[in-house]
Amino acid sequence: MDGQKDSDNIVTVALRAAISHWFIMVDYGVKAINSDTTSLEKMVIKVGIVGGTGYTGVELLRILAVHPEVSVSCITSRSEAGMPVADMYPNLRGHYDLAFSEPDVAVLGACDLVFFATPHGVAMRMVPELMSAGVRVVDLSADFRLKDLDVWANWYGMAHESPEWAEKAVYGLPEVVRDEIRTAQLVANPGCYPTAVQLGFLPLLEQGLVDPARLIADAKSGASGAGRQGKIGMLHGEIGESFKAYGASGHRHLPEIRQGLSGAAGGDVGVTFVPHLIPMIRGIEATLYAELKNPADFDRLQTLFEERFADEPFVDVMPFGSHPETRSVRGANQCRMALHRQEHSNIVIVSSVIDNLVKGAAGQAVQNMNIMFGLKETMGLEAPALLP
């Protein structure tokens, strides 16, 4: 019997020693139990950003600076390599000691997740190697948004170089494909206009209440939507005290909008999309028009929208007849919308507003990251909008 007890004690000691070096996979990362403590110690998500000098890049940095589960380990820029991030963006002084660096796949491959905040054509060339390294990617460019690569090539003027990953990429509109995002290795972050337009039309198309061949999206964006590059047409002296449509004969976001709305409708849609430039920095307002098949359905639309988005943390359905303002979502990862009807018309009017740099870009990218790593979806994105 004593021999059996000694044997049991030896096994117990061996198990304890093994447990002291054991790693447990929990949701988004690894938590280690070491020999000095019995508490679980969380591993922070190591993030890299490719293309950090534009407005989307700095917005990612701003949001991630207060994210409790993220460490930004590298941020790249070929043109500004060596420049401290805080020298370019003084609002980040005291938050980052990083300097911009040349893109290095080996360095990026050591990250848990990489954001691409680059012009089209960059991510598709780098993503395959990162995928092979097991890195997860959220691409904020247009490289992986469209499934029809002939359409993509037509709009972007080049052949797609990563068709395998274009097929596998998940189009990351959380309100539609949250479950797919959870397990995705590559997420294509939706564009700004497509986010505002799709969210506003979704309940109507999902329930088959409107004519899918007669959809109109009349949208307006602030100047930051055009990026940070110096262009004469974007100077304050050119756009101040002015208002204009652009891309009325066809805009690159049109096929993305059509693709998303077709998915919601379960078939082809006909959509007219006209963007406008307004002389403000941030914000998108999309006024959406759709024709009800049965005008009597107007009586249930408010309830339909409220129920559809009841569990969505970043969609706010306002009371019927409200007028959402872009300033009410400035700096927030929020889409705010309201329904309207004029007299006895059978046309549904939806007003949908977002911050083009947050829910329309960096904020939605962080929302996708949170979902991918099993974090609380609102983590790092809970601050209210800025007013005034």
Side-chain angles (χ1 to χ4, degrees), residues 295-328:
D297 284 330
F298 256 111
D299 294 339
R300 65 187 185 99
L301 289 189
Q302 182 69 20
T303 299
L304 171 67
F305 271 68
E306 290 175 356
E307 290 180 349
R308 173 59 177 84
F309 295 117
D311 297 324
E312 296 300 339
F314 296 118
V315 180
D316 174 27
V317 179
M318 299 178 70
F320 191 92
S322 300
H323 293 91
E325 300 178 71
T326 57
R327 70 174 188 154
S328 75

Side-chain angles (χ1 to χ4, degrees), residues 90-354:
N91 63 315
L92 297 176
R93 285 177 59 84
H95 293 282
Y96 290 98
D97 294 326
L98 283 173
F100 294 106
S101 59
E102 291 275 351
D104 184 331
V105 174
V107 173
L108 294 168
C111 295
D112 299 307
L113 179 135
V114 171
F115 293 104
F116 277 84
T118 52
H120 63 269
V122 176
M124 68 178 180
R125 299 185 181 107
M126 296 180 67
V127 157
E129 198 166 352
L130 293 176
M131 297 291 97
S132 297
V135 180
R136 304 179 83 176
V137 168
V138 177
D139 178 25
L140 285 82
S141 81
D143 282 10
F144 296 99
R145 292 175 186 163
L146 300 182
K147 293 304 180 182
D148 189 328
L149 297 188
D150 290 333
V151 172
W152 190 92
N154 180 58
W155 283 96
Y156 291 94
M158 63 179 76
H160 203 287
E161 297 183 25
S162 186
E164 176 188 358
W165 283 104
E167 182 180 352
K168 294 178 180 178
V170 173
Y171 182 76
L173 192 61
E175 293 77 10
V176 178
V177 291
R178 185 171 281 106
D179 289 342
E180 289 89 338
I181 294 168
R182 285 192 178 100
T183 58
Q185 188 177 0
L186 171 60
V187 170
N189 209 59
C192 51
Y193 281 126
T195 295
V197 172
Q198 289 179 78
L199 290 176
F201 275 133
L202 271 180
L204 300 171
L205 292 172
E206 289 172 343
Q207 297 298 316
L209 299 182
V210 296
D211 183 352
R214 303 185 65 184
L215 306 174
I216 296 174
D218 178 19
K220 307 93 182 167
S221 175
S224 60
R228 196 166 179 262
Q229 304 89 347
K231 301 174 184 176
I232 291 177
M234 299 306 297
L235 296 174
H236 180 67
E238 301 291 324
I239 67 172
E241 300 182 35
S242 185
F243 174 62
K244 69 173 184 178
Y246 65 97
S249 298
H251 186 277
R252 285 173 173 171
H253 281 162
L254 177 58
E256 181 184 344
I257 292 170
R258 186 185 294 123
Q259 175 181 272
L261 296 183
S262 295
D268 292 340
V269 299
V271 56
T272 300
F273 166 62
V274 180
H276 300 73
L277 175 64
I278 54 180
M280 67 180 188
I281 296 171
R282 290 172 177 256
I284 281 178
E285 194 279 340
T287 306
L288 313 174
Y289 305 88
E291 185 176 352
L292 272 181
K293 295 176 182 177
N294 180 3
D297 284 330
F298 256 111
D299 294 339
R300 65 187 185 99
L301 289 189
Q302 182 69 20
T303 299
L304 171 67
F305 271 68
E306 290 175 356
E307 290 180 349
R308 173 59 177 84
F309 295 117
D311 297 324
E312 296 300 339
F314 296 118
V315 180
D316 174 27
V317 179
M318 299 178 70
F320 191 92
S322 300
H323 293 91
E325 300 178 71
T326 57
R327 70 174 188 154
S328 75
V329 295
R330 185 169 174 260
N333 192 57
Q334 191 81 24
C335 177
R336 190 156 277 136
M337 63 179 68
L339 292 159
H340 291 264
R341 182 186 190 183
Q342 294 184 357
E343 297 179 324
H344 303 295
S345 171
N346 64 340
I347 303 298
V348 183
I349 303 170
V350 183
S351 176
S352 172
V353 299
I354 63 171

Side-chain angles (χ1 to χ4, degrees), residues 7-17:
S7 177
D8 289 345
N9 287 338
I10 291 171
V11 171
T12 301
V13 170
L15 285 172
R16 286 176 178 169

